[in-house]
Amino acid sequence: MKAIKIFLAIFVLAAICTGIFLWVQSSQDPAKAKAPENQFTKKIQDEIEQLKGKPDNAFCKEFYSLVTSHINDFYKPLPPTYPYGRFGNNQMENDQWKENLESQLYSAYAEKFIAQAKFVLRGSAWKSEDLKFIQAEKKQLEKSKLLKAGSLVDIELSIIQKALNQYNTIVSFIASCQSFSYSNTDLFASFPISEAESKILEASNLINTHLGNDYVNKCTRLHDELGNIPQILFKKHIGYLDSKINFWSEKYSNYYSHSEYTRQLFNPIKSEIDALDDETYNVDSFNAEYQRLLKKWNDDNVKAYNYDY
């Protein structure tokens, strides 16, 4: 009798568990159930695997776009054989497979793009066309509803953007040095040495701090251009003094005597030449350019001395 009671208890418990299981299964969203695969879903999945196997040293946007077009084509109805599209036997299955395959494709391509972008950023030659593509493609990936905030892909895209931002900041700084100019030849105007010194210091700090980013630090072109900034600004300074000497040369006839010319014109401009500081620019051509300017202005002084006032 006791054994019968135990058997009945086990039977009742099993029946309850079975009922709960069947209720849970019947209450699930039918859209979450996996739709059956077919030749079209398999083709897309095979293509996604091909994308994952693409090399990291070349971008594969065209292949990604091709697979995307295949998904869209297979999803479209093709009556009478495929009235709901080719992914499933009804609209629900077709929708489910499209969503599933788009998610798989996005995930695979995002990871591959990150690997390919980092291949470029780890190299020493940052080509402008590569950087433009990386920036544009990263922006498109970030626009997708499939990107989850805080995901590994999201974090990696942010790391890539930080490198691009720092690169652009340095490129802009270099351009500002290359385009720097000063053309005021008024007698008591003078080349803005403090501004040149500030730019040279900034270039030096960038080099010493590894360009502020581990990836950007690998770009040899930026290192070369930053290292050349003292020479660039020195040439700007020399060019300014050349222009000023040219402007004021042979103006000695405007003065009553050589002593007046010396005091009012020669000495102020010579002081500007003497203000050139080798420690500011630290370039190989400093002495030669300094002596050339000094001779050029002294030649005008000789003419002034020989002029009949």
Side-chain angles (χ1 to χ4, degrees):
M1 187 69 177
K2 183 177 181 182
I4 293 173
K5 288 182 178 179
I6 293 173
F7 174 77
L8 289 173
I10 294 173
F11 178 78
V12 170
L13 181 60
I16 292 172
C17 290
T18 300
I20 292 173
F21 175 78
L22 292 174
W23 176 81
V24 169
Q25 291 295 309
S26 64
S27 64
Q28 285 186 336
D29 185 350
K32 299 298 182 182
K34 185 177 180 181
E37 296 182 354
N38 60 31
Q39 60 178 317
F40 301 106
T41 60
K42 186 177 186 307
K43 174 178 172 59
I44 299 300
Q45 289 176 320
D46 288 345
E47 290 178 339
I48 291 173
E49 289 303 313
Q50 290 179 44
L51 187 148
K52 291 179 180 179
K54 293 290 183 182
D56 292 346
N57 63 351
F59 296 113
C60 57
K61 173 64 180 291
E62 290 185 1
F63 187 78
Y64 169 67
S65 299
L66 178 64
V67 181
T68 300
S69 69
H70 287 169
I71 291 176
N72 292 330
D73 287 343
F74 293 160
Y75 174 74
K76 294 175 183 177
L78 197 65
T81 309
Y82 302 103
Y84 305 107
R86 283 165 276 185
F87 287 141
N89 297 319
N90 53 58
Q91 191 61 52
M92 183 185 72
E93 289 182 359
N94 205 42
D95 291 344
Q96 182 185 349
W97 265 116
K98 183 174 186 290
E99 180 181 344
N100 180 276
L101 293 172
E102 285 178 335
S103 179
Q104 289 184 49
L105 178 61
Y106 177 87
S107 178
Y109 179 66
E111 291 180 14
K112 180 56 62 176
F113 166 76
I114 289 168
Q116 292 167 344
K118 286 190 171 183
F119 181 88
V120 172
L121 300 183
R122 279 193 288 263
S124 60
W126 287 30
K127 298 179 181 178
S128 296
E129 57 269 27
D130 287 341
L131 299 180
K132 288 179 181 178
F133 174 81
I134 291 171
Q135 182 66 77
E137 198 64 5
K138 185 201 72 72
K139 187 176 181 180
Q140 288 301 314
L141 288 171
E142 287 180 329
K143 284 182 178 180
S144 174
K145 63 181 180 181
L146 295 172
L147 178 63
K148 296 180 181 179
S151 66
L152 182 59
V153 168
D154 188 31
I155 292 171
E156 291 290 348
L157 291 177
S158 296
I159 291 173
I160 290 171
Q161 186 61 60
K162 286 181 181 178
L164 294 176
N165 288 345
Q166 182 64 5
Y167 172 85
N168 291 333
T169 296
I170 295 175
V171 167
S172 295
F173 167 68
I174 293 171
S176 74
C177 294
Q178 293 173 337
S179 63
F180 181 75
S181 65
Y182 187 76
S183 57
N184 187 351
T185 55
D186 288 350
L187 182 58
F188 293 103
S190 59
F191 188 81
I193 297 177
S194 60
E195 190 172 346
E197 288 175 336
S198 176
K199 289 182 180 295
I200 291 171
L201 179 61
E202 185 174 351
S204 177
N205 287 339
L206 282 169
I207 293 172
N208 293 335
T209 57
H210 310 294
L211 275 56
N213 184 279
D214 288 340
Y215 287 113
V216 181
N217 190 48
K218 298 179 185 299
C219 181
T220 55
R221 175 168 44 81
L222 290 187
H223 279 282
D224 292 343
E225 291 179 352
L226 286 169
N228 197 41
I229 282 176
Q231 180 67 45
I232 289 173
L233 295 176
F234 178 66
K235 286 183 177 179
K236 302 283 187 181
H237 197 159
I238 294 299
Y240 168 75
L241 290 175
D242 260 324
S243 296
K244 192 162 188 175
I245 291 172
N246 291 339
F247 181 82
W248 288 101
S249 287
E250 301 185 0
K251 295 287 196 305
Y252 39 80
S253 60
N254 296 334
Y255 299 89
Y256 296 109
S257 65
H258 179 257
S259 61
E260 184 189 20
Y261 158 83
T262 301
R263 184 178 63 259
Q264 296 190 14
L265 180 58
F266 178 79
N267 286 344
I269 292 181
K270 185 177 183 301
S271 294
E272 282 196 73
I273 299 172
D274 290 339
L276 280 171
D277 186 359
D278 192 13
E279 291 184 2
T280 297
Y281 298 105
N282 192 25
V283 294
D284 293 338
S285 59
F286 180 86
N287 287 331
E289 289 295 334
Y290 172 77
Q291 292 299 329
R292 182 184 66 79
L293 289 174
L294 200 59
K295 181 180 183 306
K296 184 176 181 178
W297 190 229
N298 280 333
D299 286 348
D300 191 74
N301 186 31
V302 171
K303 292 178 181 179
Y305 180 79
N306 294 325
Y307 180 73
D308 185 13
Y309 291 94

